[in-house]
Amino acid sequence: MKRSIPTKRTTIYDLAELAGTSASAVSAVLNGNWKKRRISSQLAEKITRLAEEQGYALNMQASVLRRERSKIIGMIVPKYDNRYFGSIVEQFEAMARERGLFPIITCTRRDPALEIEAARAMLSYQVDCLIATGATDPDRIADICSAAGVRAVNLDLPGSRVPSIISDNFAGALELTRRVLQNCEREFGEKAPLLFVGGRGTDHNTSERVRGFRVAHAEAGVAVDEALVLTCGYAPEKAENAMKAIAEKVGTLPRGMFVNSTISLEGVMRWIRRSGHYADRMPHLGCFDWDPFVAMLGDHIEMVRQDVPKMLDAVFEIIDSGASELKVIQVPPIVEQTG
């Protein structure tokens, strides 16, 4: 009986010979690092096409062992249905792929237990780095990563174990509050305290925004009414219920308010529409978040746009450089009028 001869597996050296280039160039293309090597797109396309024609498949497990890196990068986020976090996810994926990294992202719904579960799952996939975005307990995630020998970076909310990149929440809230106070005085002819609604009083971002809110009032010579500081959470229904409760308690509400995210704004606008409380004249609003559709509200709202591109530039600068200094980088947000 004639013995069948097994088909020889194509190697990167075979592909290099076919493409007329070096094995290292083929490896760089197959691993997604060809841009860093300044390999032309034409050669990259040629190598990719030849690899497909020859049925070449990169042995990822062996490749990981050779490099001691998986080239997988993970991110946990608290929400998807929010323009801010959605923008972070979209730009993070693009920037990771530009660096030859494979991004894995999961939503944890601000659930501490789910955050830990997600972090451990990411580590089981041998991620090279984990970005904890808006995590409720970033230090616990950092400790889990440290025990596994994996780098971690905090984004949006700071921790004390690893580098953190956040918005300058105090400065953004200070300027936003100043503008709403000025707009109210200009239209209604009086200085009066604003209502603050939304966010969790225990998290860093909200506490810094409340601090900016207070300082802006002090600058304007207006006393903050503590009964009107409603750090009721971010969910729309929580903001709506808080508005209903405070209106029942105090009667007439302020002509201006600081809303701590577009998620909370949804609940605020729902209550305004259903209650008819501001039927005579729309209040002036300031929202620490941004969405272009809110421009439909006209000239009675101003918004803070968190600078996602600069925040992610800072994240990847830390990752690319290998820096491990325990610092908090605050990126100035953009305060813009939508009307």
Side-chain angles (χ1 to χ4, degrees), residues 58-271:
L58 180 64
N59 185 332
M60 286 302 295
Q61 187 174 7
S63 182
V64 167
L65 292 174
R66 286 195 301 271
R67 294 194 312 265
E68 295 184 351
R69 290 187 61 203
S70 67
K71 302 189 76 65
I72 299 173
I73 186 168
M75 173 180 277
I76 63 172
V77 293
K79 300 282 287 183
Y80 282 140
D81 60 345
N82 169 273
R83 185 169 291 273
Y84 169 58
F85 289 116
S87 178
I88 285 176
V89 167
E90 184 175 358
Q91 294 185 52
F92 169 74
E93 284 190 302
M95 294 175 74
R97 290 194 171 100
E98 285 173 1
R99 290 162 170 79
L101 303 174
F102 183 78
I104 299 178
I105 301 161
T106 188
C107 177
T108 51
R109 303 195 297 271
R110 299 190 191 277
D111 181 335
L114 194 53
E115 290 172 357
I116 300 306
E117 179 185 328
R120 287 176 174 151
M122 294 280 188
L123 295 176
S124 73
Y125 281 98
Q126 297 182 308
V127 294
D128 289 332
C129 183
L130 177 59
I131 315 302
T133 305
T136 60
D137 192 350
D139 284 346
R140 189 175 177 197
I141 293 172
D143 287 341
I144 291 172
C145 289
S146 177
V150 171
R151 299 187 65 204
V153 179
N154 297 320
L155 178 62
D156 180 62
L157 281 171
S160 61
R161 306 278 202 277
V162 297
S164 302
I165 294 88
I166 65 173
S167 289
D168 188 339
N169 294 282
F170 169 76
L174 177 65
E175 180 59 24
L176 187 63
T177 307
R178 283 171 177 164
R179 293 192 183 196
V180 179
L181 285 167
Q182 290 168 2
N183 290 342
C184 287
E185 184 179 5
R186 186 181 305 115
E187 179 166 355
F188 304 117
E190 62 178 3
K191 290 184 176 182
L194 307 179
L195 173 70
F196 185 107
V197 59
R200 295 178 304 167
T202 56
D203 76 31
H204 174 274
N205 291 357
T206 296
S207 62
E208 282 296 279
R209 293 170 194 175
V210 170
R211 187 166 71 91
F213 178 84
R214 294 182 190 283
V215 170
H217 276 75
E219 288 180 348
V222 177
V224 172
D225 185 340
E226 296 302 326
L228 300 179
V229 179
L230 311 176
T231 52
C232 53
Y234 287 102
E237 57 272 15
K238 290 184 177 180
E240 183 177 8
N241 291 337
M243 294 291 292
K244 179 181 179 181
I246 193 65
E248 291 173 351
K249 180 178 180 181
V250 305
T252 303
L253 294 183
R255 290 289 189 177
M257 65 182 77
F258 183 116
V259 185
N260 197 19
S261 86
T262 51
I263 300 172
S264 298
L265 182 63
E266 180 183 337
V268 169
M269 296 307 298
R270 188 187 301 158
W271 179 82

Side-chain angles (χ1 to χ4, degrees), residues 31-46:
N31 288 319
N33 292 325
W34 59 275
K35 288 184 179 179
K36 287 186 177 180
R37 288 280 307 275
R38 298 189 178 181
I39 295 170
S40 70
S41 59
Q42 291 84 358
L43 179 56
E45 290 172 6
K46 181 179 181 180

Side-chain angles (χ1 to χ4, degrees), residues 2-30:
K2 185 177 179 182
R3 182 181 295 175
S4 62
I5 301 173
T7 305
K8 178 178 177 288
R9 288 186 64 181
T10 303
T11 68
I12 61 171
Y13 301 100
D14 298 323
L15 292 176
E17 184 176 348
L18 290 169
T21 187
S22 66
S24 64
V26 171
S27 179
V29 170
L30 296 177

